[in-house]
Amino acid sequence: MNLNPSADVVTRELRGKVLLVTIDHAPVNALGADVRRGLLAAIEAADAEPAVEAVLIVGAGRNFVAGADIREFGKAPVPPSLPDVCNRIETCAKPVVAAIHGAALGGGLEVALAAHYRLAVDGAKLGLPEVQLGLLPGAGGTQRTPRLIGAQAALDLILSGRHAGAKEAHALGLVDRLGSSGDVLAEGLAYAHELLAAHAPVRRTRDAAALSDRAANLAAVAAARAETVKKARGLFSPMKIVEAVEAAVDQPFEDGLRLERKLFLQCLDSPQRAGLIHAFFAEREVLKAPETRDAKPRALGKIGVVGGGTMGAGIAVAVLDAGLPVTMIERDDASLARGRAHIEKVYDGLIAKGRMSAAAKTDVMTRWSGSISYDALADADLVIEAVFEDMSVKQAVFAELDRVCKAGAVLATNTSYLDIDALAASVARPADVIGLHFFSPANLMKLLEVVVPKQVSADVVATAFELAKKLKKTPVRAGVCDGFIGNRVLAVYRAAADAMMEDGASPYQIDAAVRAFGFPMGPFQVVDLAGGDIGWATRKRRAATRHPQARYVQIADRLCERGWFGQKTGRGFYLYPEGSRSGMPDPEVEAIIETERKRAGITPRNFTDEEIIRRYMAAMINEGANVVHEGIALRPLDVDVTFLYGYGFPRYRGGPMHYADMTGLPTILADIREFAKEDPLFWQPSPLLVELVERGADFASLNQTV
Ligand code: T1G
């Protein structure tokens, strides 16, 4: 009997004495308004219908429920609210069972917690990841979870936002029964009927007793609070989570719910929620390039890597970690042995930390093979070269690849700035050539710039995105230019930092201001980490084409001329005594800066941290706008993802372009025009920024799916 006359996202069907309520709202059963209405109607129907003796809630498709509908946040609320729906589920007069498969996250788990009994099958993922969106569980999760599993376990789950599998959830007490088969519906129905046969009572989670030991739970709250103060790193919602769980321990349920609601709304209003939700959707939108829409990827069974240096070995590790075989090519046996050793060193490090077994390393290394003959690449589906950053060296490698690789093999370069169009033109199959710009360490950094030359075929681009997926990397499509997206923008805001240094701000103040903004490191710390010689080589390379009137700050050159390249030489902008990683300000550097100011005829002035950030961000945003304007990046969100995943941009600020929207483009443009009075050549407003301000539009208006 189908009791469901209305909405099709929640269907109701009587199976014997059990009302089967199925949530069917593609793609992940998010709890949009229709779903909330449907759930409410289902519980009302269950209470009203005598034939119904129990309720079973399941999700259609691959998940139970992914959570609240994130797309609704920031819009006017539409009743019924999820807390009300959860409370109504819990007050149902008949036992309600939730049978979980796939994701039961956020509001999805809160719906299950409001049920009276819970079953989870293998593969289920249960969690309260709201903290990753700048939020907290806002539908009773901070009150019901601790009552079920205690404050400590609840705080661990909610503050980490991690997923717990079915077995862990059962051990914690989040679920009552584990289902072995893949058929969550059959398992759920069987469990519901078993409960009916046993006359199992309505069992409200709000009455659960895991908080009975008040002192122990308050101690857990205090410990979590102390830990959160250290680890929150500027995030707003973690401390609110601790406050909400403390209320669960300390106050009656209804009072705790009221406080949860108040704290949830505070988090909802925080700009951090807007930034984190922008990041959530942006990291999914970047996967949608025109070529991934229009073409299918080629096979990716065997991967070749040419070069066993830092980048080549890192790329090889990323490929091995993805479960793929790698053939590494080096010019001679000694270099090949070094390449293999670089790879083994990564795995030995994991073994030393107890994160990998020796047997697992042996197993991984069976998928590595090496050769000094390119012929070993004859059956590779895709080859990545990561040799010395010199066009002639790379062209020689590509000539060999052209000679030996099978038809249809993808030929990729890891160059960080060379002209890939020129490289493609040097082989007989330019349509198969693409850029795969990894970031060091290549096995850890998530960002992968997929650099698209003019002649490349669409399926090669699609193949690059498929490789990124296999490597668990975040791909961003980039056009060919010097520095593609990330390094091109980096060069500009680094120049802005250099100018401020020469004008009066110390590198140490600039780094501190940038860290306070939310970056893990400031620009001069980054130089010392990466090696000042790399930037020095780039500046020398670009000297011939530098605009004759362009301001050029020579301070970094003075350090490099002394061999002060940073951590690897024990000093750069900072001193690294006994090889320590956290640098100390260097009076000799400050003296060099003073000398350079005098040479440049500059009278130093003070900068506030606020002005440092205004200039630093204006430079980043303006060049980001240029990169979008020139089509190097598809959308502003592609620039955001590049900086979130490759340059340490604080995720809760959503990326430079989202940050610009939140600040207001007119404000950014006004800053640039103000700064242009000192240096009109450097501070040229991007035509895109000017156009958007004239139209009263923002960068988000350009973030449509391509
Ligand atoms: N709301 C809206 N859309 C969502 C969504 C959500 N919660 N989750 C995913 N999507 C979209 C996603 O944008 C993509 O869209 C498609 O679904 C597939 O997603 C009150 C306030 C569930 C593990 O944080 O972790 O509940 O690109 O590519 O890899 O306390 O999606 O196809 O157009 O990620 O199979 C808490 C977020 C919300 C979980 C599935 N819940 N989602 O992974 O697919 S806040 C979350 C995920 C909340 C309450 C609070 C994953 C997944 P498109 P996908 P997947």
Side-chain angles (χ1 to χ4, degrees):
M1 174 173 37
N2 183 341
L3 292 168
N4 173 49
S6 59
D8 55 2
V9 290
V10 176
T11 58
R12 307 194 294 265
E13 187 185 338
L14 200 54
R15 295 285 190 92
K17 302 170 183 173
V18 176
L19 180 65
L20 171 62
V21 178
T22 306
I23 301 169
D24 188 359
H25 181 219
V28 293
N29 294 335
L31 291 156
D34 286 346
V35 176
R36 300 195 300 273
R37 271 195 288 274
L39 278 173
L40 205 54
I43 300 298
E44 297 300 345
D47 274 346
E49 176 53 59
V52 173
E53 295 184 22
V55 178
L56 173 64
I57 303 175
V58 298
R62 292 168 47 215
N63 299 292
F64 176 68
V65 173
D69 188 334
I70 302 176
R71 294 183 193 280
E72 286 184 353
F73 296 145
K75 297 174 185 164
V78 175
S81 76
L82 191 55
D84 289 347
V85 172
C86 289
N87 292 340
R88 185 64 186 87
I89 291 169
E90 192 175 54
T91 57
C92 182
K94 300 160 186 182
V96 179
V97 180
I100 296 168
H101 75 301
L105 299 172
L109 180 54
E110 290 174 301
V111 163
L113 293 174
H116 306 129
Y117 298 90
R118 284 158 294 282
L119 172 145
V121 297
D122 293 347
K125 292 183 287 204
L126 293 85
L128 294 163
E130 289 88 341
V131 68
Q132 291 164 1
L133 300 174
L135 296 167
L136 55 80
T142 64
Q143 306 303 305
R144 291 190 175 94
T145 312
R147 282 175 169 77
L148 266 183
I149 66 175
Q152 183 171 359
L155 283 161
D156 164 55
L157 209 55
I158 302 172
L159 286 168
S160 66
R162 68 183 178 83
H163 299 170
K167 288 188 174 59
E168 182 189 2
H170 184 248
L172 284 172
L174 273 181
V175 299
D176 308 286
R177 179 65 62 86
L178 287 176
S180 52
S181 79
D183 184 344
V184 65
L185 175 56
E187 297 271 3
L189 285 170
Y191 184 39
H193 282 109
E194 180 191 318
L195 290 165
L196 281 176
H199 304 295
V202 164
R203 189 186 64 175
R204 304 191 314 171
T205 307
R206 65 177 68 195
D207 303 327
L211 293 176
S212 52
D213 184 339
R214 186 171 177 281
N217 282 288
L218 284 179
V221 169
R225 178 171 278 122
E227 190 62 17
T228 300
V229 166
K230 283 188 291 193
K231 284 172 50 179
R233 283 195 310 279
L235 277 176
F236 178 75
S237 71
M239 289 304 273
K240 303 299 176 185
I241 287 167
V242 175
E243 195 179 339
V245 171
E246 183 175 51
V249 180
D250 231 3
Q251 299 178 28
F253 184 77
E254 292 297 341
D255 295 347
L257 270 190
R258 268 191 292 279
L259 178 64
E260 176 192 88
R261 188 69 187 159
K262 176 170 151 264
L263 298 173
F264 174 77
L265 293 175
Q266 288 175 9
C267 295
L268 198 60
D269 291 344
S270 149
Q272 294 186 5
R273 181 266 309 158
L276 288 165
I277 285 178
H278 170 73
F280 174 88
F281 287 117
E283 66 199 8
R284 287 161 174 79
E285 279 306 309
V286 288
L287 307 179
K288 299 168 188 169
E291 295 88 350
T292 57
R293 182 191 57 217
D294 303 338
K296 292 267 175 288
R298 295 179 185 174
L300 274 176
K302 290 175 181 272
I303 307 295
V305 174
V306 180
T310 305
M311 288 309 288
I315 293 166
V317 170
V319 175
L320 288 168
D321 288 351
L324 294 168
V326 175
T327 300
M328 176 175 277
I329 302 294
E330 258 292 1
R331 55 180 179 280
D332 55 46
D333 288 330
S335 307
L336 185 60
R338 275 195 302 275
R340 179 183 174 116
H342 282 147
I343 294 169
E344 296 210 55
K345 187 176 170 204
V346 172
Y347 292 124
D348 291 340
L350 293 177
I351 292 170
K353 291 176 194 158
R355 288 166 50 195
M356 185 180 212
S357 68
K361 174 195 167 187
T362 303
D363 178 47
V364 166
M365 291 310 290
T366 59
R367 284 186 278 107
W368 180 88
S369 60
S371 174
I372 61 172
S373 161
Y374 279 88
D375 294 342
L377 296 178
D379 63 348
D381 297 305
L382 180 145
V383 180
I384 306 164
E385 67 77 18
V387 298
F388 184 63
E389 280 289 85
D390 173 276
M391 183 57 92
S392 56
V393 172
K394 292 187 185 295
Q395 282 173 332
V397 168
F398 266 74
E400 285 297 279
L401 299 181
D402 208 10
R403 178 177 65 83
V404 305
C405 290
K406 66 185 179 187
V410 174
L411 311 183
T413 171
N414 173 56
T415 184
S416 53
Y417 65 82
L418 293 176
D419 181 349
I420 300 174
D421 285 321
L423 210 46
S426 70
V427 294
R429 41 175 135 179
D432 294 337
V433 174
I434 194 157
L436 292 178
H437 182 219
F438 289 82
F439 286 74
S440 185
N443 55 309
L444 297 178
M445 291 298 284
K446 296 278 284 180
L447 179 63
L448 176 62
E449 284 181 313
V450 176
V451 189
V452 180
K454 289 187 187 61
Q455 300 185 68
V456 72
S457 68
D459 65 336
V460 168
V461 180
T463 306
F465 273 75
E466 182 66 17
L467 178 70
K469 188 176 177 183
K470 288 180 182 291
L471 302 187
K472 295 188 174 52
K473 300 276 181 198
T474 298
V476 175
R477 186 189 186 283
V480 174
C481 73
D482 193 337
F484 315 137
I485 298 174
N487 285 346
R488 166 163 163 185
V489 174
L490 166 65
V492 176
Y493 66 80
R494 168 64 202 285
D498 283 347
M500 286 190 275
M501 173 167 60
E502 193 171 57
D503 289 342
S506 88
Y508 315 118
Q509 180 194 3
I510 293 168
D511 279 353
V514 170
R515 284 197 308 275
F517 180 81
F519 284 87
M521 301 172 95
F524 301 103
Q525 288 173 287
V526 171
V527 170
D528 276 5
L529 176 68
D533 47 333
I534 294 173
W536 193 27
T538 303
R539 294 192 296 273
K540 285 191 272 192
R541 172 172 57 82
R542 290 179 175 166
T545 54
R546 187 177 302 121
H547 191 292
Q549 270 78 50
R551 178 176 185 180
Y552 183 74
V553 176
Q554 300 181 27
I555 294 166
D557 295 354
R558 295 295 91 78
L559 307 191
C560 290
E561 287 153 7
R562 291 168 169 78
W564 300 356
F565 296 146
Q567 292 191 22
K568 62 185 173 185
T569 57
R571 68 189 304 178
F573 280 96
Y574 294 80
L575 283 168
Y576 299 91
E578 294 84 50
S580 83
R581 302 222 359 127
S582 56
M584 292 163 44
D586 182 349
E588 287 189 60
V589 167
E590 294 183 304
I592 289 168
I593 294 170
E594 282 306 316
T595 305
E596 280 302 305
R597 287 169 179 160
K598 288 193 179 71
R599 184 189 59 76
I602 288 169
T603 306
R605 70 175 181 85
N606 289 330
F607 283 78
T608 62
D609 290 358
E610 185 266 341
E611 182 182 359
I612 288 170
I613 291 303
R614 274 175 52 211
R615 286 171 178 267
Y616 196 75
M617 288 310 302
M620 188 186 300
I621 293 159
N622 197 51
E623 195 60 16
N626 284 333
V627 154
V628 174
H629 180 61
E630 294 169 25
I632 298 295
L634 285 173
R635 301 150 293 208
L637 68 84
D638 294 76
V639 178
D640 285 334
V641 172
T642 297
F643 281 87
L644 291 174
Y645 279 96
Y647 294 79
F649 197 94
R651 187 177 171 89
Y652 64 80
R653 295 187 187 273
M657 314 313 271
H658 176 80
Y659 172 79
D661 282 352
M662 302 293 274
T663 305
L665 298 193
T667 302
I668 301 293
L669 183 55
D671 275 354
I672 291 168
R673 287 183 164 145
E674 176 66 24
F675 305 150
K677 292 172 188 167
E678 305 150 19
D679 185 346
L681 188 63
F682 181 81
W683 293 103
Q684 296 181 52
S686 167
L688 176 63
L689 181 59
V690 172
E691 185 226 323
L692 288 172
V693 169
E694 281 166 0
R695 283 199 289 119
D698 60 10
F699 287 124
S701 65
L702 305 175
N703 279 337
Q704 73 290 348
T705 299
V706 288

